[in-house]
Amino acid sequence: MSRSVLFDTETTGFEPLTGDRVIEIAAIELFNDLPTGAQFYALLDPERDIPSDSTRVHGITNAHVEGKPKFVDVADEMLKFFGDSPLVAHNAPFDFGFISAELERVGRKPLDKARMVDTLVLAKQRFPGMPNSLDALCRRFDIDLSARTTHNALLDCKLLADVYVELTGGRQRGLVLEAEESLAFAQYSAPATRTPRLIQPAPEQLAAHDKFIDKLKEPVWRRE
């Protein structure tokens, strides 16, 4: 089976190279593009103020992150969850840029861009010239957006996972996989051999059969 990790970040702004920092990271595990339920989540102290303009986007204030771990405190756990799997994100260069900047600040290697899977690129290929924001894609695929009052990394991951399933045909592949696994289970759980069972007709059944044969012209049962 093929493992990948879908992730999202919330930040203090748009420029990781000029001082903006990650304040929230969420990631969920996918197998064959379907969520397994395993997830990673961290709300972080960005070691700087969160501008009010950013708070209006994601709803996270300075009070929310007071006393929370710093990126250096969760880096190992995050990298362990990421493993060496492909990394899926919407507008992935943004999230890759921020995570890589945070990694470099703590003396780690940046994320390998060869691992990047950008759902925005996939959406533009499928729906050229159309709005392809996460909200627009959720509406297009009839995915419930009622809980998304602000940008929230974990909620956005869950919504994006549903979008990704639709973009890649993952739901259909999941059904095929389920059918194959059910068939395999049936084959392996069936008895390897069957014991023959002798069926002995009753005397009246044999007499009825002979009477029926007598009515046939040159029946094969009477040939020598």
Side-chain angles (χ1 to χ4, degrees):
M1 298 177 73
S2 174
R3 181 182 189 266
S4 55
V5 172
L6 184 151
F7 79 105
D8 185 49
T9 62
E10 298 299 340
T11 66
T12 63
F14 298 102
E15 297 296 338
L17 301 182
T18 58
D20 283 319
R21 302 291 300 273
V22 173
I23 54 179
E24 189 178 38
I25 309 169
I28 62 176
E29 181 183 63
L30 308 176
F31 267 107
N32 288 352
D33 298 336
L34 298 174
T36 66
Q39 65 184 44
F40 167 83
Y41 177 78
L43 183 63
L44 303 173
D45 174 2
E47 303 178 80
R48 55 152 291 172
D49 288 340
I50 301 173
S52 57
D53 286 348
S54 297
T55 296
R56 278 193 288 272
V57 173
H58 46 59
I60 301 171
T61 67
N62 291 310
H64 289 135
V65 299
E66 186 176 351
K68 297 300 181 182
K70 299 176 174 60
F71 180 84
V72 67
D73 301 319
V74 305
D76 286 341
E77 185 183 354
M78 182 199 73
L79 290 172
K80 182 179 179 181
F81 188 83
F82 281 4
D84 58 1
S85 301
L87 299 173
V88 183
H90 198 65
N91 190 21
F94 177 89
D95 299 286
F96 264 68
F98 266 96
I99 294 294
S100 291
E102 294 286 358
L103 288 169
E104 290 180 309
R105 283 191 185 96
V106 297
R108 301 299 187 89
K109 293 180 180 179
L111 295 177
D112 182 357
K113 292 181 181 179
R115 300 169 63 186
M116 183 188 297
V117 179
D118 190 351
T119 52
L120 181 57
V121 171
L122 296 178
K124 286 180 176 179
Q125 290 171 346
R126 184 165 174 183
F127 305 109
M130 298 179 68
N132 285 304
S133 67
L134 181 57
D135 282 359
L137 290 168
C138 286
R139 286 191 289 268
R140 194 167 301 146
F141 292 126
D142 198 24
I143 295 168
D144 184 12
L145 275 169
S146 59
R148 195 176 192 246
T149 54
T150 59
H151 289 247
N152 170 285
L154 188 55
L155 175 60
D156 285 359
C157 274
K158 293 176 179 178
L159 292 172
L160 183 58
D162 288 340
V163 167
Y164 188 52
V165 165
E166 299 292 347
L167 286 173
T168 62
R171 197 175 305 280
Q172 286 73 19
R173 288 205 304 280
L175 291 173
V176 170
L177 180 63
E178 238 178 62
E180 289 174 349
E181 288 176 345
S182 297
L183 178 59
F185 176 79
Q187 289 172 337
Y188 284 108
S189 62
T193 59
R194 293 181 181 274
T195 303
R197 182 180 165 193
L198 180 64
I199 305 297
Q200 182 61 53
E204 57 270 22
Q205 291 174 316
L206 291 172
H209 180 261
D210 286 339
K211 187 176 180 180
F212 172 76
I213 294 300
D214 288 339
K215 297 178 181 179
L216 301 177
K217 183 179 181 180
E218 299 181 359
V220 296
W221 294 271
R222 300 280 170 85
R223 292 179 185 174
E224 294 184 0

